[in-house]
């Protein structure tokens, strides 16, 4: 039986200016592969990361950490849950 609302689509990934600059500094193929895997996880399930607390206004920041691949993403999800904006990358 098909899902009530059809297949779940992935969220689109966008990068803040600072995250795009961080992305430009990654030169290792292994680090790019690890980052790609983490981006797929948050695009499929934007709630995969833990909610970061301690800030009042603005978007609710989330943090996704993959200890095996040693990747950390700080991001927020748009109101319509169609775009994940990555604010910080650590590989």
């Amino acid at each position: 039986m098909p899902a009530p609302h059809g297949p779940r689509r992935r969220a689109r990934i966008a990068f803040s200016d600072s995250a795009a600059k961080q992305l430009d500094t990654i030169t290792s193929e292994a680090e790019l592969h690890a980052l790609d895997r983490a981006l797929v996880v948050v695009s499929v399930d934007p709630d995969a990361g833990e909610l970061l607390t301690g800030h009042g206004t603005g978007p609710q920041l989330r943090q996704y950490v993959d200890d095996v691949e040693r990747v950390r993403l700080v991001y927020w999800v748009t109101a319509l849950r169609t775009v994940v904006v990555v604010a910080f990358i650590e590989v």
Side-chain angles (χ1 to χ4, degrees):
M1 177 177 224
H5 300 287
R8 187 173 177 171
R9 293 183 359 179
R10 281 202 231 183
R12 189 170 61 91
I13 300 289
F15 297 96
S16 68
D17 290 341
S18 61
K21 288 177 186 175
Q22 291 171 309
L23 184 60
D24 288 340
T25 64
I26 300 172
T27 58
S28 162
E29 181 108 8
E31 288 177 344
L32 285 173
H33 179 71
L35 176 60
D36 185 53
R37 289 173 50 93
L39 292 171
V40 167
V41 169
V42 297
S43 72
V44 170
D45 181 10
D47 295 325
E50 68 182 50
L51 191 59
L52 296 176
T53 59
H55 58 279
T57 61
Q60 289 190 322
L61 292 176
R62 300 187 75 83
Q63 171 179 261
Y64 174 76
V65 178
D66 183 332
D67 292 326
V68 174
E69 296 283 355
R70 297 190 327 208
V71 175
R72 178 176 171 238
L73 299 175
V74 176
Y75 64 97
W76 71 88
V77 182
T78 61
L80 297 177
R81 304 192 57 76
T82 57
V83 178
V84 174
V85 181
V86 177
F88 177 80
I89 299 169
E90 185 176 87
V91 181

